[in-house]
Amino acid sequence: MRIVCAGGGPAGLYFAIQMKRRDPSHHVSVIERNRADDTFGWGVVFSDETLRNLEGADPESKQEILDSFAHWDDIDIHFRGRVITSGGHGFCGIERRHLLNILQRRAAALGVELVFQREVDELPDADLVVAADGINSRIRTRHAAHFRPTIDIRKNKFVWLGTHRLFQAFTFIFVETEHGWFQAHAYRFNRDTSTFIVETTETAWRAAGLDTLDAADTVAFCERLFAPWLEGHRLMANMSHLRGSQWLSFPRVANETWVMGNVVLMGDAAHSAHFSIGSGTKLALEDAIALARAFDTHGADIPAALAAYEAERKLEVLRVQSAARNSTEWFENVARYAQLEPEQFAYSLLTRSQRISHENLRLRDRPWLEGMERWLAARAGHAANRPVPPMFLPFRLREMKLANRIVVSPMATYSAQDGMPNDFHLVHLGARALGGAGLVFTEMVCVTPQGRITPGCAGLWSDAQMQEWARIVDFVHANSAARICLQLGHSGLKGSTQVGWEEMDAPLPHGNWELIAPSPIAWSPRNQTPRAMTRDDMDVARDAFVAATRRGVQAGFDMLELHAAHGYLLSSFISPLTNQRHDDHGGSLANRLRFPLEVFEAMRAVWPAERPMSVRISATDWVAGGITGDDAVAIARAFKRAGADLMDVSAGQTSIRAQPVYGRMFQTPFADRIRNEVGIATMAVGNITEPDHLNAIIAAGRADLCALARPHLTDPQFALRAAATLGYAEQWWPRQYLPGKAQIERLVRRTDTDYSAVI
C-alpha cells in the first residue's frame, strides 16, 4: 500500500512508524512543509495514562521517549501570596523538538521516506492520504465543503515562552494587575529548560498595550510581571527572529466528518484541545495508534478501516474536547474565581475540566484533600474536627437550616386528580424525605386549573388542596430531618398536554382548555396557539400566585420557589423566542423581566421574611437569538435585587429548536457562573448522578446545593446510602432503617469498595 502522510508532526510520523512496522512492504512517505528542526512550542506534556496508551505501539521509540522525560507528580498553585501544592498527578515533559527527532530517526530507520520543506497543495497519488498537516491544515481548508470544519477562536490571548528557571512541579502562577489577571502555565521538559506560557483575557491584553508590542518587548513585559517566580532567569521567545506580536488565540477545531474517500484527517487537522489540559500531542499519537489498529482489523479494506477509525476516535475526542472546553472557560474567567479563598480556588482549578473528581483527588493526594475537607467543614460551621464529605455540609438560607446539600429535585408525577395531591404524593415525597436529603421539592404546583401542564398536575388554588399539602408537610417534619420546598408555577403556552408517560408536550386528544402566554406563539405546530395576555390577565395570574403563596404559608412549607424556567408562563415572558410583545413587557430583557419580577415581589411580600425563596430559571435557550449566559447573569441579578435567596439554575426546554450540549453535570457551569459573578447562592441541576459529582461541585464553589431527579426516582435513599458508603456517621437516619446502615458499612469495610459498587 502506498501511504502519504501530509504533515511531519507527531501524528504523521507516528502513524508512518506504525504502518511500516506492521508491513515493511508499505511505501510510506511523510511530507512536511517546514525544515526537520523547525517546531512551534517548547515542551510537550503527557500524563502517565498517555504513556500507558503507547505500550506495544512501538517499543523502540517508546523507550527512547521515556528516557528523555522529565517527570513530576506535584501541581503548585501560586495565588494571592500562597503556594498550594497537590501531589500524585503523574505528568511527564519532553522537548517537542526532541520528540520529533526521536520519531524522525525511528521512521527513517524503518524505511519511511521523509520529505521536508515541501507543501502538499494537491492531493498526492496514493492508496491512503493522511492529512496530519496541523491546526491550519491546507487539505482540510481546500476540502472544507466536505469535512465541514468548525473553528472556534477562544477568547484569551497567550504567548508560548521558555526559561532556564527549572520548575520542579507543574506550576500555575496567577498575578493580578491594574489591567486584569495574568496567569502562567510552567513546567520543566528537560534538564535545563521549562515551558512558560503566559495567558490573559483579550481585554487585559489590550489594556496593557500588548497588542502593540513586538517579540522582544513582549518578553520584557512578561519578565517584569513574573520576576518573583523567575528568580533572575530570563524568558525566551520561541521564534525571536520573527517580527511582530507572538500572542495567539487558541482555535478549537472540530469536523463533521474526518474521511473523504481515501483521505483521512488526523491530529490537529481533525481536532484540537486546549493546552491547559495538555492533550494535543496525546490525541495525535492515539489517533495514529487507532488508525493503524483499524488496518490490523480490516486489512486492505481502506473504507472500512477509515470508518472504524473515525467511529472509535470521535467519541474519545468528544470527551477530551468537552473537558478541554471546561478547562478553557475556567482560564478565560479567572476573575470570576479570584474572589474564592486560596484553598477553594486551588480545588476549583484542579477539578476545572470535570475529569478529575473528588475521589480521584483523594487517590492522588489524600492528605491534601482531607485538609481541604476540614477547611470546608470549618467554613460551613460543621462541629466535627475531621474531614467531612462536602455534600454533607450544613447550609443555611435565612432561618432555614439544611442538614446537607442534597436536594430532591422537583419532578412532575402527573398523579393528581383535579389538582388534588393524594396518597401517592405523600408516599413519594415522604419516602425521599426519609431517604436523608436535606431539602425535598414538590413538583411544579399549579396556581390555577388553566395553569396546569396536564390533567394530572397538582395544584394549590383551593383550601382543600392546601389541607392535603399540609398533611404531606406535617409528615416530612414529623418523620425526617428534611425541609420541604413548594414550587409554584403556571404552564402558559405549554399547558393542556398529555401526561408524561403518554406523548410528552402533545395536546390532549379532547378536553383542551384555553392557553395564555405573553404572545400568540404555539409551542409547536401541533399545539394550540395561546391567547396573548392582557393587563387584566396578568393581574389575575399574579394574584393567583399570591393566593397560592398564602396557602403555602398555611400548609407549613419551609421554602418557596417560583418556577420561571422551561418555557412555562413566566419563562415565556423572559425568553425573546416566545415574548414578541411591543408594550412595556416586551423588547429589552429588562422589559421581559418586568412581569416575572412583579409576580415574585408580590409573592415575597406575603411569604414570611424568615423563610427563603428561590427562582428556577433556564440559563440558556440553547437556540441562537435566545437567552444567553450573559442574560442569565442579568436575570439572576434582577431576582437577587427583588429578594431571592437562591437561584435554581436549569437550562433549555423553552423551544423545540433547542440544541442542548449534554454530558455529566452539563448545566453546572451556568450555576457556577451565576454564583461566582452575581454573589447569590445557586442550586446545580442536570445529570448529577453520583456522590462524587456532588462533592466536587460543592467543594469547588460551583454551587451551594445539588438537585437530583432521576437518581432519586431509582433510589429514594440516595443520601443515606452515600453517607454510609463514605463513612459519614453524622447523617440522620430513620431509626427504623438503622440495620440497613450497618449492613452497608460492613460491606464497605469488608470489600474496601466504592459507592457505585455498593449500589
Side-chain angles (χ1 to χ4, degrees):
M1 184 161 48
R2 176 168 174 74
I3 302 169
V4 174
C5 298
L13 286 168
Y14 208 57
F15 178 69
I17 290 168
Q18 299 296 303
M19 296 304 288
K20 200 67 175 174
R21 280 186 75 248
R22 282 164 167 77
D23 187 347
S25 68
H26 289 321
H27 186 280
V28 185
S29 302
V30 175
I31 303 174
E32 167 59 40
R33 67 170 65 100
N34 297 303
R35 295 171 300 183
D37 285 337
D38 283 348
T39 186
F40 303 92
W42 292 84
V44 174
V45 177
F46 291 154
S47 67
D48 287 349
E49 177 187 4
T50 302
L51 296 184
R52 289 190 290 271
N53 291 336
L54 301 183
E55 290 286 351
D58 183 47
E60 293 82 357
S61 61
K62 174 178 178 288
Q63 192 55 51
E64 189 174 358
I65 291 169
L66 281 175
D67 292 342
S68 304
F69 271 130
H71 188 275
W72 66 90
D73 285 313
D74 290 346
I75 293 178
D76 284 349
I77 300 164
H78 298 250
F79 177 68
R80 294 200 183 281
R82 298 271 302 280
V83 181
I84 295 177
T85 300
S86 171
H89 295 279
F91 288 104
C92 300
I94 185 172
E95 183 181 6
R96 180 176 172 84
R97 180 182 287 112
H98 186 51
L99 173 64
L100 290 176
N101 290 341
I102 291 173
L103 298 179
Q104 289 165 0
R105 288 195 298 269
R106 176 62 177 151
L110 288 169
V112 175
E113 179 187 16
L114 300 178
V115 180
F116 296 99
Q117 295 182 270
R118 181 187 299 175
E119 190 68 68
V120 179
D121 288 316
E122 300 293 335
L123 291 177
D125 181 17
D127 299 305
L128 175 66
V129 177
V130 178
D133 50 344
I135 209 160
N136 298 310
S137 167
R138 286 199 177 190
I139 292 176
R140 184 194 68 221
T141 301
R142 185 178 293 269
H143 300 282
H146 178 85
F147 293 115
R148 299 188 300 280
T150 300
I151 301 177
D152 176 21
I153 305 298
R154 299 308 307 176
K155 299 176 183 178
N156 273 10
K157 292 288 186 179
F158 70 95
V159 61
W160 209 299
L161 304 173
T163 179
H164 291 307
R165 159 75 160 93
L166 296 183
F167 292 92
Q168 300 304 321
F170 200 117
T171 302
F172 295 103
I173 305 167
F174 297 88
V175 180
E176 186 176 20
T177 73
E178 61 182 314
H179 311 295
W181 285 88
F182 285 74
Q183 56 262 10
H185 311 236
Y187 55 88
R188 180 171 65 92
F189 61 80
N190 63 23
R191 287 177 296 180
D192 62 4
T193 317
S194 298
T195 290
F196 200 90
I197 305 169
V198 179
E199 182 183 16
T200 190
T201 64
E202 183 170 359
T203 300
W205 176 74
R206 291 189 182 279
L210 293 167
D211 55 325
T212 66
L213 301 185
D214 62 15
D217 289 336
T218 290
V219 169
F221 175 90
C222 294
E223 283 178 344
R224 291 192 300 271
L225 185 60
F226 292 99
W229 295 273
L230 291 171
E231 298 179 350
H233 291 276
R234 305 297 302 273
L235 290 174
M236 302 173 287
N238 190 59
M239 300 166 63
S240 58
H241 60 284
L242 295 182
R243 298 175 62 83
S245 173
Q246 294 196 310
W247 293 90
L248 304 170
S249 298
F250 186 83
R252 179 186 182 273
V253 175
N255 288 272
E256 286 289 319
T257 182
W258 298 1
V259 176
M260 182 181 70
N262 68 331
V263 180
V264 61
L265 303 179
M266 184 180 287
D268 285 348
H271 47 70
S272 63
H274 193 258
F275 59 82
S276 63
I277 63 169
S279 289
T281 304
K282 159 195 160 68
L283 289 175
L285 297 179
E286 291 175 352
D287 280 356
I289 294 169
L291 183 55
R293 191 168 55 238
F295 279 104
D296 290 342
T297 302
H298 297 280
D301 189 344
I302 292 175
L306 298 187
Y309 156 76
E310 180 174 10
E312 175 189 344
R313 290 302 295 156
K314 261 195 168 179
L315 183 59
E316 175 58 21
V317 167
L318 181 63
R319 292 192 185 104
V320 172
Q321 287 192 321
S322 177
R325 182 187 65 245
N326 293 335
S327 179
T328 304
E329 290 178 356
W330 194 95
F331 282 105
E332 289 172 347
N333 295 285
V334 166
R336 178 186 303 165
Y337 305 106
Q339 46 83 27
L340 298 175
E341 295 292 330
E343 290 83 357
Q344 196 164 42
F345 180 89
Y347 185 100
S348 178
L349 168 62
L350 292 172
T351 59
R352 68 194 180 278
S353 72
Q354 297 185 5
R355 297 194 82 176
I356 296 179
S357 68
H358 193 77
E359 291 307 311
N360 186 261
L361 279 175
R362 194 183 310 279
L363 291 174
R364 294 169 186 243
D365 192 344
R366 176 181 288 268
W368 181 83
L369 184 67
E370 290 185 348
M372 175 65 182
E373 289 178 333
R374 288 190 184 92
W375 181 86
L376 284 167
R379 297 275 295 180
H382 197 285
N385 185 25
R386 64 179 186 80
V388 176
M391 64 190 289
F392 292 109
L393 294 175
F395 189 64
R396 180 172 180 156
L397 286 168
R398 297 203 182 207
E399 296 303 311
M400 184 185 76
K401 298 177 183 177
L402 302 180
N404 58 51
R405 309 299 184 95
I406 307 162
V407 178
V408 177
S409 192
M411 295 175 281
T413 62
Y414 312 109
S415 300
Q417 297 276 339
D418 296 322
M420 188 74 73
N422 51 45
D423 286 348
F424 176 86
H425 298 86
L426 173 66
V427 173
H428 170 70
L429 295 171
R432 279 138 192 89
L434 290 173
L439 182 62
V440 176
F441 271 73
T442 69
E443 60 195 85
M444 186 179 95
V445 176
C446 305
V447 296
T448 67
Q450 294 74 25
R452 290 174 297 164
I453 309 165
T454 77
C457 290
L460 193 49
W461 60 80
S462 75
D463 289 345
Q465 292 165 342
M466 181 272 293
Q467 289 166 3
E468 286 301 302
W469 282 117
R471 184 168 71 107
I472 295 168
V473 171
D474 289 346
F475 178 89
V476 170
H477 288 164
N479 295 279
S480 79
R483 303 293 91 190
I484 183 165
C485 179
L486 167 66
Q487 186 190 71
L488 292 178
H490 187 297
S491 60
L493 76 157
K494 292 179 74 175
S496 193
T497 60
Q498 300 175 42
V499 299
W501 48 81
E502 295 175 342
E503 191 174 356
M504 182 69 73
D505 292 334
L508 295 168
H510 52 78
N512 286 280
W513 56 83
E514 183 188 44
L515 303 182
I516 56 173
S519 300
I521 298 173
W523 170 249
S524 80
R526 296 182 57 193
N527 295 79
Q528 64 174 292
T529 300
R531 176 170 59 79
M533 294 175 71
T534 65
R535 180 63 250 188
D536 286 345
D537 291 326
M538 287 186 245
D539 291 343
V540 170
R542 179 201 61 216
D543 293 347
F545 274 98
V546 171
T549 299
R550 293 185 189 276
R551 291 190 177 99
V553 177
Q554 290 179 274
F557 283 100
D558 303 291
M559 178 174 164
L560 177 64
E561 176 163 286
L562 176 62
H563 199 327
H566 299 169
Y568 300 124
L569 181 65
L570 299 182
S571 171
S572 66
F573 268 90
I574 297 172
S575 173
L577 303 177
T578 45
N579 184 342
Q580 300 291 317
R581 299 177 72 96
H582 299 289
D583 59 8
D584 58 0
H585 291 283
S588 68
L589 178 59
N591 280 359
R592 301 195 310 270
L593 276 169
R594 192 184 301 273
F595 181 60
L597 288 170
E598 177 185 334
V599 172
F600 178 87
E601 289 166 349
M603 295 165 67
R604 179 75 264 183
V606 300
W607 184 250
E610 69 276 9
R611 300 187 206 177
M613 281 186 66
S614 61
V615 183
R616 170 164 276 203
I617 64 168
S618 288
T620 177
D621 287 326
W622 301 114
V623 177
I627 292 295
T628 67
D630 289 344
D631 292 332
V633 169
I635 293 165
R637 285 201 173 104
F639 278 109
K640 179 185 178 183
R641 286 193 297 268
D645 303 291
L646 177 135
M647 299 304 297
D648 176 358
V649 187
S650 188
Q653 301 181 53
T654 57
S655 171
I656 60 172
R657 295 183 286 131
Q659 294 184 309
V661 181
Y662 292 113
R664 292 180 306 152
M665 303 174 279
F666 71 107
Q667 293 176 151
T668 299
F670 300 115
D672 180 348
R673 180 176 181 186
I674 287 171
R675 181 186 189 272
N676 289 299
E677 288 190 17
V678 179
I680 188 172
T682 61
M683 183 163 74
V685 305
N687 211 10
I688 300 169
T689 61
E690 302 171 12
D692 222 16
H693 296 168
L694 282 85
N695 284 328
I697 290 168
I698 301 303
R702 296 187 176 102
D704 301 277
L705 299 173
C706 293
L708 292 80
R710 290 175 179 85
H712 273 122
L713 289 178
T714 57
D715 185 5
Q717 283 76 39
F718 178 93
L720 300 184
R721 199 184 300 269
T725 304
L726 295 174
Y728 180 66
E730 288 84 75
Q731 165 65 30
W732 174 88
W733 278 72
R735 290 173 295 179
Q736 300 90 331
Y737 295 175
L738 288 174
K741 174 178 183 283
Q743 182 184 49
I744 293 178
E745 290 171 340
R746 285 194 301 272
L747 177 61
V748 171
R749 285 195 298 270
R750 185 169 65 249
T751 62
D752 191 29
T753 189
D754 63 12
Y755 179 81
S756 60
V758 173
I759 63 172

